[in-house]
Amino acid sequence: MREVAVVGVGMTLFGKHTETIRELGEEAVWAALQDAGMSPKDVQVAYAGNALGRISGQEMVSGQMVLREVGITGIPITRIEDACASASFAFRESWLAIASGLYDVAMAVGYEKMTGATTAQIMEALAGASDTELEADLGITFPGVFAMVARRHMYQYGTTREQIAYVSVKNHDNGALNPRSQYQKRFSIEEVLASRPIASPLNLLDCCPISDGCAAAVLVAKDLAPRYTRKPVWVAASGQASGFFEPGSDVTVLKPTIAASQSAYKQAGLGPEDIDLAEVHDCFTIAEVLHTEDLGFAPKGEGGPFIMDGNTAIGGRIPINTSGGLLSKGHPVGATGLAQIVEIVEQLRGQSGHRQVQGARAGLAMCLGGFMHSDAGVVAVHILKA
Amino acid sequence: MPETESTENSRIINEKWFTETPQGKALAGSRCRKCGRTYFPRKRVCVQCFEDGRMEDVALSRMGRLYTFTVAEAGPPGFTLPYAFGYVDLPEGVRVFSPLGGDFARLEIGAEMEMAIGPIRQDDGVDVIGYIFKPV
C-alpha cells in the first residue's frame, strides 16, 4: 500500500443555511481545492457522502450534482451512504483508491441539508439508520436508542446523570471557540439537566442539533504531496468494522468501535496513549462516554468520571471533540465524518486558534453509522499524523 | 378479540410475525435443530452454525425481562406522546425490540414483562396492531 497525504481541507459553517446542497458543496469543495492550490482538473476520482437525500430532494446522483458546481466532471464519482458515517467512508474509499495505486488524486466530500423539514420528519428519516422493519416501524428513535444505552451504562457502572451531562458542557465550551460551530454558547450541567426531556434519561442538550453543512478533503499519493502543500497530514490508518449483532450483546460495549480502532492502531503502529486528540461521534452525550472507553482512552465503565475529571478537555490528557463535536458544532449527517477530518488536519497543522492542542502530532477520528439490535451498524476509525 | 385481526380501521403490522397458540397470539420464531439457536422473526439459515433448511417453527415465550428502555417525549408522526420502548430478553435467548405499555412508572431494568397485542401507532387514521410488552 502507498502512503497517502491529506493536502487540502474545507468546510462550510455548520448550522441553518438557506443554501442547497449544491451551494454548500460548491463552497466546501472549492475551499478544499484552494487550500491545496489544486485545479479541479487534477482530481481523478471522488467519493461523496450523503445520507438524507429524501430530505434535501436530490436522492440520487447527488455526488455528480455537487461536484459539477466546481467543474469536477467526467471522472468516476461514487456516492456512499452509511448513515452518520457516510463521509468517513467517502474519506476511507478515497484513501484506498490512492493507497492501492489505482489513482493519485482523490476528492472526498460529504454534505447534508436537514433544516426545513420538521423535527418529526427528521426523527422519522433518521430512524432509517436502525432496523426499519423491526425497530423504526415500531417507534424507535435515535435519542431513544442512546437513552437506552445511557440507562444501561448508569445501571451497570454507576455512571451519574451529571457525568453524562458534562459531555455536553465540555463540547459546548469547545464549540464556543470554533467559529464554524453551529452553537457558540456555553451551558452548565444544571442547564443540561433542566432542558426539555426528549427520551428518558436524556434531555434536549444531550442531543446534537439538526444541521446543514458540507466538508471536503483532497488526498494525494505521497510523491505528489510536495506539489500541493508544505504541511502534508498523513493517513496513518483507516479502520472499519460492522455490527456483530450477537444475541444478548452488552449495549454498553460497541464491538465495532473496538474492532475498527484495534485495526487502526495496528496499522499506525500506535496505541491510544500515543493519540494527542480525538474527534468522536457524540451524537448524544452518552455516546462519547462509550467511545472514550471503547477507543481505549479510559477503562470500560470509567468513562463518566474520566471525562468529568477534565481528562478529555482541551489541555487534558486526551482532548476529545475540540471542534465542539456533533453536540455543539452540529451534525449535518452526511458531512460529519469529513468535518472530523477537517478538525484533525487543522489541529495537526497548528491552525486551530484558541482551541489548539499544543504540539499535536497524532489525531484520531471515530464515526458511527446506524444502530440496531443493541449494536452499532458500522464504525470508522482514522488516525492522522503530522 | 377483534383487535388481533386486520379490519377497515386497523391492520396487523406483519402477519408473519405471529402464530396462534392456545393462549392466543405469540411471536413466531425459528429454532435451529442443529445448534438450538432461536431467532425472531423466522428465518432460514442459522448464522451460528450455518445450517440451512433445518429450522423449526417455534412459538416464543410471552414472558421476558426488560433489558433497557426509554420513555420518549418526541417521536415520528403516528405515535402518541409520551410512548415507551425497549429491549426485552426472552428465555429462548432472543432479544426483541418492542413498544412498551402499562404503567410507565413500573418500568425498570430486569422487570418481568408480558406480551400483549394492541395498537402501536396510527398510519393515516388506521391503527397499526403489533406486539407490546407490559410489566407484569
Side-chain angles (χ1 to χ4, degrees), chain A residues 193-249:
Chain A
L193 297 181
S195 62
R196 185 160 64 86
I198 299 293
S200 63
L202 300 182
N203 297 350
L204 186 65
L205 288 172
D206 291 288
C207 306
C208 62
I210 290 166
S211 319
D212 307 325
C214 178
V218 187
L219 298 82
V220 302
K222 181 182 181 179
D223 54 343
L224 289 183
R227 189 184 300 180
Y228 297 108
T229 183
R230 280 175 295 161
K231 283 191 176 177
V233 170
W234 303 100
V235 184
S238 174
Q240 176 177 3
S242 297
F244 291 83
F245 310 125
E246 290 164 345
S249 65

Side-chain angles (χ1 to χ4, degrees), chain A residues 48-51 80-91 109 112 333-334 337 367:
Chain A
N50 181 246
I80 293 177
E81 183 282 306
D82 264 312
C84 305
S86 298
S88 303
F89 295 118
F91 184 77
V109 58
E112 206 72 76
V333 170
C367 203

Side-chain angles (χ1 to χ4, degrees), chain A residues 67-103:
Chain A
L67 292 170
R68 172 175 171 266
E69 296 293 334
V70 292
I72 297 178
T73 55
I75 62 163
I77 298 171
T78 304
R79 200 201 79 177
I80 293 177
E81 183 282 306
D82 264 312
C84 305
S86 298
S88 303
F89 295 118
F91 184 77
R92 176 177 160 87
E93 293 304 318
S94 298
W95 162 78
L96 196 54
I98 298 169
S100 67
L102 206 54
Y103 297 97

Side-chain angles (χ1 to χ4, degrees), chain A residues 279-301:
Chain A
E279 289 283 303
V280 308
H281 196 261
D282 59 327
C283 47
F284 301 91
T285 46
I286 184 63
E288 183 167 319
V289 177
L290 256 65
H291 308 331
T292 301
E293 298 166 349
D294 292 335
L295 293 168
F297 300 132
K300 182 47 68 181

Side-chain angles (χ1 to χ4, degrees), chain A residues 104-356:
Chain A
D104 292 320
V105 181
M107 171 67 71
V109 58
Y111 41 84
E112 206 72 76
K113 175 80 185 171
M114 298 169 73
T115 66
T118 65
T119 301
Q121 286 171 328
I122 293 290
M123 289 184 90
E124 187 177 37
L126 288 175
S130 68
D131 180 327
T132 56
E133 286 181 41
L134 291 169
E135 297 180 333
D137 282 356
L138 310 187
I140 211 166
T141 64
F142 268 80
V145 165
F146 283 91
M148 292 191 288
V149 171
R151 193 178 298 280
R152 277 306 298 194
H153 206 279
M154 295 168 79
Y155 174 81
Q156 290 180 217
Y157 311 111
T159 305
T160 66
R161 187 65 190 82
E162 288 73 17
Q163 289 163 352
I164 293 170
Y166 182 70
V167 172
S168 181
V169 174
K170 170 185 72 74
N171 291 355
H172 281 98
D173 282 351
N174 294 347
L177 303 174
N178 182 357
R180 289 181 299 213
S181 176
Q182 183 163 357
Y183 291 101
Q184 313 277 336
K185 189 173 179 340
R186 291 183 162 87
F187 295 95
S188 66
I189 288 179
E190 293 69 28
E191 286 173 300
V192 178
L193 297 181
S195 62
R196 185 160 64 86
I198 299 293
S200 63
L202 300 182
N203 297 350
L204 186 65
L205 288 172
D206 291 288
C207 306
C208 62
I210 290 166
S211 319
D212 307 325
C214 178
V218 187
L219 298 82
V220 302
K222 181 182 181 179
D223 54 343
L224 289 183
R227 189 184 300 180
Y228 297 108
T229 183
R230 280 175 295 161
K231 283 191 176 177
V233 170
W234 303 100
V235 184
S238 174
Q240 176 177 3
S242 297
F244 291 83
F245 310 125
E246 290 164 345
S249 65
D250 181 346
V251 79
T252 69
V253 181
L254 299 187
K255 286 179 76 176
T257 309
I258 295 172
S261 60
Q262 285 182 350
S263 163
Y265 288 137
K266 192 175 168 197
Q267 280 176 54
L270 299 174
E273 66 283 358
D274 301 312
I275 303 297
D276 298 312
L277 78 153
E279 289 283 303
V280 308
H281 196 261
D282 59 327
C283 47
F284 301 91
T285 46
I286 184 63
E288 183 167 319
V289 177
L290 256 65
H291 308 331
T292 301
E293 298 166 349
D294 292 335
L295 293 168
F297 300 132
K300 182 47 68 181
E302 295 176 24
F306 184 80
I307 295 167
M308 192 82 160
D309 289 346
N311 289 298
T312 62
I314 294 170
R317 271 162 63 184
I318 167 72
I320 293 181
N321 284 329
T322 56
S323 68
L326 283 59
L327 286 167
S328 178
K329 182 183 58 191
H331 182 31
V333 170
T336 281
L338 275 159
Q340 293 180 326
I341 297 292
V342 172
E343 177 70 8
I344 299 288
V345 165
E346 292 183 349
Q347 284 278 2
L348 296 179
R349 289 173 175 173
Q351 297 174 328
S352 296
H354 292 301
R355 61 184 197 287
Q356 180 65 44

Side-chain angles (χ1 to χ4, degrees), chain B residues 22 57 68 72 82 101 112-113:
Chain B
D57 287 347
T68 187
E112 192 176 14
M113 309 291 284

